[in-house]
Amino acid sequence: MIQLPELFERKLSTVPELDSAVRESFKRFEPWLEQSGMPFFPGFTDHSPRHINEVLNTAASLVSDASRDLLSAEDVAVLCISILLHDSGMHLTRDSFRALVSDFTQPIISGLGDLPWARLWEDFLSEARRFGQDQLLAIFGDPDVLQVGELDLENLSELDDLLIGEFVRRHHSRLAHEIAVKGVPTTKGNNPLELIGLDPELRDLAGLIGRSHGMSIRATFPYIENKYSLLPEYRRIKTPYLMAVLRIADYVQVKSERALKSLLSVKELRSPISRQEWRNHFAVRDVSQRHDDPEALFVNAKPIDVRTYLKLESLFRDIQRELDESWATLGEVYGRQGELAALGLTWRRIRSNLDDKDKFSKTIPYIPIRAGFDASGPDLLKLLVGPLYNYEYEVGIRELVQNAVDACKELVDLLGNTPIGNGPSDLPDVLVDIHENNDGTGWITVTDRGVGMTADTITHYFLVAGASFRNSDVWKQQHMNVSGEARVMRGGRFGVGALAAFLLGEEVTVQTRHASRSEEDGLEFKARIDDPVVELRRCTAPAGTSIKIWVENPSVINNLRPHKYFAEIPDDLDQIFELDSWPKVDWFVQSKPRVTYRWNGYSRRPSEDPDELRVRFRGEYRTPSDELVPLPESPDVTWHALAEPHPYKAVFWQYRQPKKEKKEEEEFIRRPSDEITVNGIRVEKLRMGGWSSVKLVRDAFGDGPQYRLSRPSMAIFDPAGVCPINLQRSAVSFDRMGFDGQLSKALLREHLTYISNLLKGDNTFAGFRKLCADIGALPDVHYEGQVIPFCATSKGIFLATPGLFSELKIRVLLLVDSEHRAPQEIAGLLKDGEALLFRISKSGPQNDLAWFRGILAEDNGYDWYRRNCALPRLARSAAVLAMRPQLWQLANQEGKVKRQIIASLTDVPNAGGHKVVMSGDIGDSEILAARVKELLVVLGKTPEIGAWKLTPERRPARSTSLIHEVWIEVFGGPYVRSLTAELKVN
């Protein structure tokens, strides 16, 4: 049973309402905490009510003598509730967890950056699929057991429980907050277990204190100030002080009583994390305040092996850090608050028998030091460089450019977003200079006017593979805001960029100076990848960094050479030739910082003949303005922005426009490939023809036209570095980005809005066919099959989905294959209840036969013929097709069309130059045939015309397609109406 310490009982007795609320809440939650069994933490140490009692007693002992009189009943109430709930999330049952991760709604607590639980779970599963062997071993005890894709929430295995446990462990402090506010997650129809007798503000503060043991105390201050204004004390509750008490009280629960020996003897602790935690607890023999230092807590421990020793050593360091940070925070918050300045904790320090390592080592059989394999070494680095970048020399330029660009962005951020000013304003911010010698060797120099490097940055990050300075605490302090968001859109991420220099050459010379240092305080060094020691020397240098690479292999320079032949180069060889493209080096595509590429070398030979004339020239290149992506703070009107780009700062998209190009004397139009950029760096060039498509899970089997959305060019701005880019930075995993649903809607909305602008031509038969052809040629939406799914009626144009056919009471569908430029207006050509659909695909035997089968095959068993032709999924009673005689002859050839289909057809006499056949209900077929003959008289002999007599849909209703929804959203109804001689949006 949970018992209140004497101090807390005495304080609560002064306010009976609070005393009753605390005791009733304890009474409600205690059975759950005792009986939950912690299904996702079968091997963890005790988190039952016994642990709650221990934390309560430790918390009471942590309140210093000077603080006791300042403690209010309200303080004690919210502290007790926070202790009750701080680990409650680890008691979730399987049903509670299912309810939690099926919640797509916005979090109930705003202001702390919470994501919906369902989104967090999806992101976690994506991460789990990328777990390395160390993580798998730590969680499961076996690096080869996890099959995340097979996880079934309704049928969880023991391994599934361990994986879920890792997810809950990460977020259990947030759960404490939400349980305090709303109660324990539960399935629909069940009443949640929740607190009783406390108003919403006290619940929120108690939950926030419980949550704070999993985050920095300071990180909670914006939330408290925004919601309650007063940080030091609100309603007699000293929230920051109580947070310090809870986190220390929970941290020092390391007495061996928490690991019950009787329980341990019958359990197999599968997870190494669990096993190690139990070892840690058993290793602690005593925790005492009886020490020469009156403000110290003394721990006596006897770890049985070096792993436990190192864990305890780390734990004690962490506790000391928590004590230091807690005392510092209390000083900041209460130091000038009068009598509240006396608030403090009983302990300031933690001491242990492990402090004297030499003395302790004489009592154990192992050596108490950390030893292990290290992945460092020049031979390993040499093996890594080529395969990592697939031996593509241009990638070396990319890595160096993106590091230089990042340095410039960091300097701008340090200067408060003022432009870079360390040099003449007409100089580029980043200069890539390639110089070719006569023998094909040369130099590649990348110079930036960025923030520069210190000696610490060089030794601990630049020269260490996999160590990214952007992940360091120093970088985060300099370039993250108070909410923990990065202000700099950095291109580098994995800490391997410096290795790229050795992809280009064997030796690099670096000169750098940090912007905060004086001009004489620069640094320079020369290094080869296999140098065991690199000497840093002081020098005078401008702010920024210059990396000069000696290129001994002529293949490198030849690979990077601009695509210019000597015939195109001006006679004045002193003139700098303006290059119109240089794809091998053109990686950064933003206007800021300014990047320039220079070439001093020979022209490309027009043939392989070594005796061909070579011409040396100097060239210069800057990315053309029409290829630049916008800056996140100043979007370009030609780009569209996703409305909700989280977790990214911004996501822009567009389809690249065709460009007029000239080769020799011939001009032609070329549409460039769309591409993906992340933070201004080109990452992936998309394949033409819609091969890279936006994922349309919802419409894959929906009730509507078949189509694909071609992925557009996308500019992604990712300050947090979460965009799922592969290590080679050559591709993005869009499945893991989570915004294809939002992007699909945006693309369709823009597509249909653009089509509405095309509808301003005439509304004749020929005009509608041209409209369909124009739609079919658009680069964004690729409609499958042989028809463009837009139907014309005498009243307007609608989308060819079964739902709209039914809503508009369309009784006859005319399927026309013709390039005939008939001038007749559609309004006069079609009768009420008729709709016209055009075939746009190219003619050919296979296409023609598919068209034949799709129109004439009956419903029974042949629906897939219509799907293959992309005809609407409509029930019909009769079908007619007027075709060229050649198609009828082709269809009757052996093996071309099933005999059952041919046998079901009836000839229509007196059809002129067309072969007309019909199927289905004889009465309906004859009426359709007569109507088709009328249209042939009006339209002439060129077209082929099919017709269906539609019947009410007999199939069960299917899901409404996304394009149908967006159509209604854009046009406000089923029609794009024809009101006058123009087609207009209703």
Side-chain angles (χ1 to χ4, degrees):
M1 182 177 178
I2 301 175
Q3 298 285 340
L4 289 171
E6 185 275 332
L7 170 64
F8 293 172
E9 279 193 329
R10 178 160 45 82
K11 290 289 183 179
L12 283 173
S13 66
T14 63
V15 183
E17 295 85 356
L18 291 176
D19 184 64
S20 174
V22 170
R23 294 180 187 277
E24 286 299 317
S25 295
F26 278 11
K27 188 183 298 184
R28 281 191 169 206
F29 275 79
E30 185 169 3
W32 178 54
L33 299 177
E34 186 71 61
Q35 300 167 17
S36 73
M38 296 174 61
F40 303 124
F41 302 93
F44 261 53
T45 51
D46 182 29
H47 285 79
S48 73
R50 286 181 291 275
H51 173 51
I52 304 300
N53 278 325
E54 290 177 357
V55 180
L56 284 167
N57 289 324
T58 305
S61 68
L62 269 172
V63 179
S64 66
D65 292 340
S67 304
R68 292 190 169 213
D69 292 338
L70 299 173
L71 211 62
S72 68
E74 290 81 359
D75 282 324
V76 172
V78 297
L79 178 60
C80 288
I81 295 299
S82 69
I83 291 172
L84 173 72
L85 300 180
H86 77 287
D87 282 338
S88 59
M90 300 175 75
H91 290 264
L92 285 186
T93 63
R94 292 182 179 89
D95 284 341
S96 293
F97 178 77
R98 293 184 190 103
L100 185 75
V101 298
S102 63
D103 185 2
F104 285 87
T105 61
Q106 289 302 309
I108 61 174
I109 297 164
S110 61
L112 288 167
D114 293 339
L115 294 174
W117 282 107
R119 169 72 182 278
L120 275 181
W121 176 239
E122 290 172 357
D123 291 349
F124 173 76
L125 290 179
S126 295
E127 179 190 347
R129 294 184 182 98
R130 306 190 303 273
F131 279 165
Q133 288 197 343
D134 289 346
Q135 291 168 294
L136 295 173
L137 186 64
I139 297 170
F140 302 101
D142 186 339
D144 300 316
V145 298
L146 182 61
Q147 295 293 329
V148 175
E150 300 174 5
L151 189 146
D152 179 3
L153 289 178
E154 299 301 324
N155 186 24
L156 295 173
S157 67
E158 177 189 356
L159 294 177
D160 295 336
D161 284 344
L162 292 174
L163 180 67
I164 292 171
E166 172 63 14
F167 173 78
V168 173
R169 183 189 65 79
R170 294 184 183 189
H171 302 291
H172 80 284
S173 58
R174 169 183 166 180
L175 275 167
H177 196 176
E178 294 192 0
I179 290 172
V181 172
K182 189 180 179 181
V184 178
T186 186
T187 53
K188 288 184 179 179
N190 293 323
N191 294 324
L193 175 64
E194 56 186 347
L195 300 174
I196 188 170
L198 297 175
D199 65 54
E201 289 189 341
L202 295 186
R203 287 185 179 205
D204 182 48
L205 288 170
L208 183 65
I209 293 167
R211 180 178 191 150
S212 70
H213 83 291
M215 59 193 299
S216 162
I217 294 179
R218 289 185 180 89
T220 67
F221 288 177
Y223 179 85
I224 299 172
E225 290 170 334
N226 290 337
K227 193 164 185 179
Y228 300 110
S229 299
L230 298 175
L231 177 62
E233 186 175 42
Y234 175 75
R235 288 181 58 181
R236 302 211 309 156
I237 301 168
K238 306 159 195 65
T239 304
Y241 175 68
L242 301 178
M243 289 177 174
V245 171
L246 171 62
R247 67 197 301 113
I248 301 302
D250 186 54
Y251 231 135
V252 298
Q253 296 304 301
V254 291
K255 295 183 180 179
S256 60
E257 286 83 355
R258 282 192 67 191
L260 305 178
K261 292 183 179 179
S262 60
L263 180 64
L264 182 63
S265 65
V266 296
K267 274 187 176 287
E268 176 197 356
L269 301 180
R270 182 164 190 169
S271 164
I273 291 178
S274 301
R275 289 199 294 267
Q276 191 60 57
E277 187 178 348
W278 284 71
R279 286 196 193 101
N280 296 346
H281 287 290
F282 276 126
V284 176
R285 301 302 177 89
D286 184 48
V287 179
S288 172
Q289 289 181 264
R290 299 182 182 278
H291 189 261
D292 295 341
D293 185 344
E295 292 184 318
L297 179 74
F298 186 81
V299 181
N300 190 304
K302 192 170 183 180
I304 61 173
D305 53 38
V306 73
R307 287 186 178 86
T308 307
Y309 168 83
L310 293 172
K311 281 281 188 180
L312 285 178
E313 188 181 46
S314 174
L315 174 65
F316 298 158
R317 280 199 305 269
D318 289 345
I319 294 174
Q320 185 60 58
R321 188 187 69 249
E322 289 290 344
L323 283 166
D324 293 341
E325 291 183 2
S326 296
W327 274 100
T329 303
L330 295 180
E332 293 173 18
V333 176
Y334 297 106
R336 298 183 181 180
Q337 296 293 324
E339 65 176 3
L340 295 183
L343 285 171
L345 307 173
T346 305
W347 312 318
R348 284 183 181 271
R349 288 167 290 281
I350 182 170
R351 299 280 187 255
S352 80
N353 61 315
L354 308 185
D355 294 343
D356 188 336
K357 187 176 292 189
D358 291 339
K359 182 178 179 181
F360 174 72
S361 64
K362 295 176 182 177
T363 67
I364 52 175
Y366 55 86
I367 307 299
I369 61 173
R370 181 182 297 276
F373 289 104
D374 191 349
S376 65
D379 290 337
L380 179 60
L381 292 183
K382 290 171 76 173
L383 290 173
L384 280 175
V385 174
L388 178 62
Y389 297 115
N390 201 28
Y391 299 96
E392 295 176 355
Y393 303 124
E394 61 268 28
V395 173
I397 300 292
R398 181 196 68 195
E399 294 297 304
L400 294 171
V401 166
Q402 77 182 13
N403 283 352
V405 165
D406 286 351
C408 294
K409 293 179 179 179
E410 289 162 8
L411 179 60
V412 170
D413 184 58
L414 286 178
L415 296 174
N417 284 318
T418 58
I420 298 174
N422 55 333
S425 59
D426 59 337
L427 289 178
D429 301 314
V430 176
L431 176 62
V432 178
D433 198 321
I434 302 178
H435 181 95
E436 180 185 20
N437 296 326
N438 292 338
D439 59 359
T441 63
W443 297 93
I444 298 174
T445 308
V446 180
T447 304
D448 68 70
R449 298 196 294 156
V451 69
M453 293 186 287
T454 63
D456 182 76
T457 308
I458 293 170
T459 55
H460 290 97
Y461 299 100
F462 183 83
L463 294 175
V464 179
S468 173
F469 179 58
R470 279 102 191 167
N471 293 328
S472 69
D473 291 338
V474 174
W475 192 93
K476 292 174 182 177
Q477 290 168 5
Q478 292 175 343
H479 301 294
M480 283 187 169
N481 59 26
V482 293
S483 301
E485 298 170 336
R487 296 186 299 269
V488 175
M489 303 285 178
R490 59 194 191 275
R493 183 187 302 181
F494 303 120
V496 292
L499 288 178
F502 296 108
L503 185 68
L504 301 169
E506 295 288 323
E507 183 177 87
V508 300
T509 302
V510 178
Q511 185 180 85
T512 185
R513 174 170 68 85
H514 195 273
S516 65
R517 306 297 171 86
S518 65
E519 190 173 349
E520 295 77 24
D521 204 14
L523 297 166
E524 63 182 4
F525 61 92
K526 184 178 292 187
R528 300 175 69 89
I529 198 169
D530 53 359
D531 281 346
V533 177
V534 174
E535 180 181 81
L536 274 61
R537 301 180 68 89
R538 294 183 181 86
C539 68
T540 299
T545 300
S546 175
I547 300 177
K548 188 174 185 178
I549 305 156
W550 165 243
V551 182
E552 194 170 10
N553 180 2
S555 296
V556 176
I557 299 289
N558 193 49
N559 177 267
L560 300 175
R561 190 184 311 279
H563 286 264
K564 289 297 170 189
Y565 299 112
F566 69 90
E568 301 173 303
I569 299 170
D571 294 334
D572 184 359
L573 299 183
D574 291 329
Q575 178 182 345
I576 295 179
F577 184 76
E578 293 292 334
L579 298 166
D580 53 13
S581 68
W582 196 355
K584 291 290 186 177
V585 300
D586 186 16
W587 290 101
F588 183 68
V589 287
Q590 282 183 291
S591 59
K592 297 178 183 178
R594 297 164 299 170
V595 181
T596 298
Y597 309 87
R598 289 180 183 163
W599 168 263
N600 187 340
Y602 289 98
S603 63
R604 184 175 294 275
R605 291 189 179 94
S607 73
E608 295 300 320
D609 185 353
D611 296 327
E612 284 280 1
L613 177 66
R614 294 191 306 164
V615 176
R616 176 176 287 277
F617 75 100
R618 291 191 299 151
E620 188 167 282
Y621 175 75
R622 296 179 186 85
T623 305
S625 59
D626 62 350
E627 292 190 23
L628 296 177
V629 302
L631 300 171
E633 61 275 8
S634 56
D636 188 302
V637 294
T638 64
W639 288 77
H640 308 276
L642 282 191
E644 298 178 7
H646 186 79
Y648 309 101
K649 182 178 179 65
V651 176
F652 300 134
W653 63 269
Q654 69 163 199
Y655 290 99
R656 299 186 69 181
Q657 296 302 308
K659 296 176 68 174
K660 183 180 291 187
E661 296 188 0
K662 185 176 182 180
K663 186 174 183 181
E664 297 177 351
E665 298 301 319
E666 181 182 355
E667 285 192 353
F668 58 95
I669 301 295
R670 183 180 68 88
R671 181 176 172 267
S673 298
D674 287 296
E675 64 182 7
I676 308 301
T677 66
V678 178
N679 296 342
I681 297 291
R682 301 183 198 264
V683 173
E684 180 177 2
K685 195 173 288 292
L686 303 177
R687 297 178 67 182
M688 296 291 287
W691 285 105
S692 180
S693 299
V694 179
K695 193 171 185 180
L696 280 169
V697 175
R698 175 176 164 189
D699 276 10
F701 303 100
D703 197 3
Q706 300 172 42
Y707 64 96
R708 289 178 293 119
L709 292 177
S710 177
R711 190 172 297 283
S713 289
M714 302 186 72
I716 301 164
F717 297 94
D718 175 30
V722 297
C723 184
I725 306 175
N726 64 1
L727 185 61
Q728 290 77 26
R729 299 184 59 83
S730 61
V732 172
S733 176
F734 289 102
D735 286 350
R736 288 158 43 204
M737 294 190 72
F739 58 49
D740 268 7
Q742 183 187 170
L743 178 63
S744 298
K745 269 199 164 185
L747 294 176
L748 287 172
R749 194 178 295 115
E750 184 64 25
H751 173 71
L752 296 179
T753 301
Y754 180 75
I755 287 175
S756 72
N757 293 324
L758 294 180
L759 301 180
K760 294 178 180 177
D762 61 59
N763 62 346
T764 64
F765 178 90
F768 179 58
R769 190 198 181 283
K770 182 179 184 304
L771 169 68
C772 292
D774 290 344
I775 292 172
L778 293 176
D780 50 357
V781 181
H782 300 267
Y783 294 101
E784 307 286 359
Q786 301 195 34
V787 299
I788 300 298
F790 296 94
C791 284
T793 73
S794 60
K795 297 179 180 179
I797 295 172
F798 71 94
L799 183 68
T801 66
L804 292 184
F805 275 95
S806 176
E807 180 181 342
L808 298 174
K809 296 182 172 56
I810 302 299
R811 298 184 298 276
V812 173
L813 175 61
L814 301 170
L815 303 143
V816 180
D817 179 9
S818 172
E819 296 186 5
H820 185 57
R821 301 184 180 276
Q824 289 85 355
E825 289 194 3
I826 290 175
L829 187 67
L830 299 181
K831 299 177 181 179
D832 287 346
E834 290 184 340
L836 172 67
L837 192 65
F838 264 113
R839 178 188 180 193
I840 299 297
S841 67
K842 292 182 179 179
S843 186
Q846 296 307 317
N847 280 348
D848 291 344
L849 289 172
W851 174 251
F852 179 93
R853 298 186 198 100
I855 292 176
L856 293 172
E858 296 184 356
D859 285 350
N860 299 331
Y862 295 115
D863 186 53
W864 68 274
Y865 281 141
R866 271 175 256 173
R867 289 201 305 272
N868 184 48
C869 201
L871 297 175
R873 294 184 64 258
L874 300 167
R876 69 186 193 200
S877 61
V880 170
L881 177 60
M883 72 195 93
R884 293 170 290 111
Q886 297 93 319
L887 177 55
W888 177 249
Q889 294 168 8
L890 177 65
N892 278 274
Q893 291 179 16
E894 185 68 28
K896 297 298 185 182
V897 176
K898 285 183 177 293
R899 293 298 94 190
Q900 298 95 314
I901 297 176
I902 298 295
S904 69
L905 304 179
T906 304
D907 281 344
V908 177
N910 304 319
H914 285 77
K915 173 68 175 179
V916 182
V917 295
M918 58 186 183
S919 68
D921 180 90
I922 189 64
D924 289 344
S925 296
E926 289 176 346
I927 294 171
L928 280 183
R931 178 62 176 141
V932 167
K933 286 181 179 180
E934 290 177 9
L935 292 172
L936 287 173
V937 170
V938 175
L939 299 177
K941 297 181 179 180
T942 304
E944 292 188 344
I945 302 176
W948 288 350
K949 178 65 169 64
L950 305 181
T951 60
E953 180 68 60
R954 294 190 298 271
R955 300 182 185 89
R958 306 183 80 184
S959 60
T960 302
S961 66
L962 180 62
I963 191 172
H964 183 157
E965 283 187 11
V966 177
W967 178 281
I968 300 300
E969 177 187 320
V970 171
F971 299 125
Y975 271 131
V976 181
R977 298 184 187 278
S978 175
L979 300 178
T980 63
E982 289 187 342
L983 293 169
K984 298 181 179 178
V985 179
N986 60 333

